[in-house]
Amino acid sequence: MTQAPATPRATRRRHDREIVALAVPAFGALVAEPLFVMADSAIVGHLGTAQLAGLGVASALLTTAVSVFVFLAYATTAAVARRVGAGDLPAAIRQGMDGIWLAVLIGAAVIAAVLPLAPAIVDLFGASSTAAPYATTYLRISALGIPAMLVVLASTGVLRGLQDTRTPLYVAVAGFIANAALNAVLVYVAGLGIAGSAWGTVIAQCGMAAVYLTVVVRGARRHGASLRPDVTGIRASAQAGVPLLVRTLSLRAILMIATAVAARLGDADIAAHQIILSLWSLLAFALDAIAIAGQAIIGRYLGAGDTDGARAACRRMVEWGIAVGVVLGALVVLTRPLFLPLFTSDSSVTDTALPALLIVALSQPISGIVFVLDGVLMGAGDGPYLAGAMLLTLAVFTPVALLVPTLGGGLTALWAAMALMMTVRLLTLWLRARSGRWLVTGATR
């Protein structure tokens, strides 16, 4: 008996279940990541202002260094998901192992660069003479954990590609708890000061990497996948990651330019900008969770040769992105009176932030579509287009943002430029999604 085709409503419900099952745990894992730095700050802050300032410089450098290599997660997710869709689990895990080996190699190179150059890097970022020694100490010790951090990124990509976002959530939560406990013991009980905080973070990251590797190795042995490094596979992983690296660097450049412009506007403006940027980053976690689901789902559909399924999933995820963006925008508007006093009691900062926050709220539905389509195209392995689109966005944003101090409008004008940046991203991603050129099927792109 021939099975009746699924109705549109049934198809939407199936997509909804997949999106929720992947996005909700992914959101939890994303939120847990910045808690590492918050825990370190809370513990080190009681040692003194100089120590906290040193931690601020070093953690900013480490966060930037690790975020630059986030392609280890994104590219691995897409590649593994394609193999899963093609029904070849051994090859999927083998692909993931290539990404993990690439993470180890990059991590070793970063350690080799950071250890001797740590004092110079700290000075370059303007640390004071009192904070610089603490920043250097923390940076040198924490750098030892960078390979583990990158292995965590790549392993997270493997599990996401295997349609598993729950394990990364459990590992992230356990890692946060271990990090906080180790920091407290090593800083205060062992009396190691800021060095204890750095060692606590290194140990926690190594523990997380060990758990991930255990899960991946078990999967490899179960499916007969080789664990040995494969030069061809590692090279392919690196080549897939280069366009995403360009995309990430372009986005980081946009954020750095925005902060530099805000600093030129005055103390109240830069203070308000930092508050808004922290909120913007928090909102991004919710939208990025849907994007992560998109990477895994789209890669699987294309690996299975199902372009109709990929199109339908993309359409449904865009609807989710719009809906979540509307809800987040409304929450920003409604909670403004409660949100701002958490960060400042200075009325000049509050008055500066309020109109800029309205722009952030209004642009959330745009952000929702952008994040989703970004994830869809990553899942399709469309990295070169994403790199070119982000370079174009950077080229449009930069002159507009740099003109803000000259033309006036203050922080509101700067965040209008940020909204313009998101609109340019929307246009470039929508045109690509509509063209269908990203619908390349097969176990590999």
Side-chain angles (χ1 to χ4, degrees), residues 62 65-73 76 99-111 145-157 205 209 212:
L62 285 167
V66 174
S67 65
V68 162
F69 298 114
V70 73
F71 71 83
L72 289 167
T76 304
I100 291 172
W101 279 113
L102 178 61
V104 172
L105 293 175
I106 293 174
V110 173
I111 286 181
I146 286 179
M149 296 178 192
L150 299 186
V151 166
V152 166
L153 281 178
S155 301
T156 300
Q205 291 287 350
Y212 273 121

Side-chain angles (χ1 to χ4, degrees), residues 38-419:
M38 291 179 63
D40 289 0
S41 299
I43 293 171
V44 172
H46 293 287
L47 294 175
T49 302
Q51 288 90 331
L52 184 59
L55 172 66
V57 173
S59 62
L61 290 168
L62 285 167
T63 301
T64 299
V66 174
S67 65
V68 162
F69 298 114
V70 73
F71 71 83
L72 289 167
Y74 293 161
T76 304
T77 297
V80 171
R82 276 185 175 270
R83 299 281 192 178
V84 170
D88 192 349
L89 283 178
I93 296 174
R94 175 65 261 177
Q95 188 86 48
M97 285 304 305
D98 293 334
I100 291 172
W101 279 113
L102 178 61
V104 172
L105 293 175
I106 293 174
V110 173
I111 286 181
V114 170
L115 290 182
L117 296 176
I121 296 172
V122 168
D123 288 340
L124 181 64
F125 276 75
S128 68
S129 59
T130 54
Y134 297 111
T136 301
T137 296
Y138 190 93
L139 182 60
R140 275 181 165 158
I141 295 173
S142 295
L144 299 176
I146 286 179
M149 296 178 192
L150 299 186
V151 166
V152 166
L153 281 178
S155 301
T156 300
V158 176
L159 295 182
R160 288 173 181 170
L162 294 171
Q163 316 296 297
D164 175 11
T165 56
R166 290 182 179 272
T167 300
L169 171 61
Y170 301 148
V171 175
V173 171
F176 165 72
I177 295 172
N179 178 68
L182 286 166
N183 270 256
V185 171
L186 295 176
V187 170
Y188 296 118
V189 179
L192 297 179
I194 195 169
S197 177
W199 280 117
T201 300
V202 170
I203 295 170
Q205 291 287 350
C206 289
M208 292 171 65
V211 172
Y212 273 121
L213 289 175
T214 299
V215 173
V216 174
V217 168
R218 283 179 179 172
R221 288 176 175 169
R222 185 164 58 250
H223 295 285
S226 173
L227 299 174
R228 295 180 179 179
D230 177 68
V231 175
T232 302
I234 294 172
R235 186 185 301 115
S237 295
Q239 289 172 344
V242 168
L244 296 181
L245 176 61
V246 172
R247 168 201 168 274
T248 301
L249 289 174
S250 299
L251 181 58
R252 297 295 302 185
I254 287 171
L255 298 178
M256 290 176 65
I257 290 169
T259 299
V261 170
R264 292 175 60 189
L265 296 175
D267 289 346
D269 293 89
I270 185 60
H273 176 74
Q274 289 304 113
I275 294 171
I276 296 171
L277 192 60
S278 66
L279 174 63
W280 192 77
S281 300
L282 179 62
L283 298 174
F285 285 139
L287 298 174
D288 203 27
I290 305 175
I292 288 169
Q295 293 171 28
I297 293 171
I298 295 299
R300 192 189 74 231
Y301 272 117
L302 293 180
D306 187 356
T307 57
D308 290 338
R311 281 188 182 276
C314 174
R315 187 161 50 249
R316 190 56 177 164
M317 281 183 282
V318 167
E319 293 170 356
W320 269 82
I322 295 172
V324 173
V326 169
V327 171
L328 293 177
L331 286 175
V332 170
V333 172
L334 294 174
T335 60
R336 282 183 307 156
L338 302 174
F339 173 74
L340 289 173
L342 294 176
F343 291 88
T344 182
S345 57
D346 188 333
S347 60
S348 64
V349 175
T350 302
D351 293 342
T352 301
L354 282 172
L357 273 176
L358 281 177
I359 293 176
V360 171
L362 292 173
S363 64
Q364 284 308 295
I366 294 175
S367 297
I369 302 173
V370 167
F371 275 80
V372 166
L373 291 181
D374 203 41
V376 165
L377 296 183
M378 283 184 191
D382 206 11
Y385 182 84
L386 291 173
M390 190 59 78
L391 286 171
L392 173 62
T393 303
L394 175 61
V396 172
F397 171 79
T398 300
V400 175
L402 294 179
L403 283 172
V404 168
T406 303
L407 298 180
L411 191 67
T412 303
L414 176 60
W415 276 93
M418 291 287 285

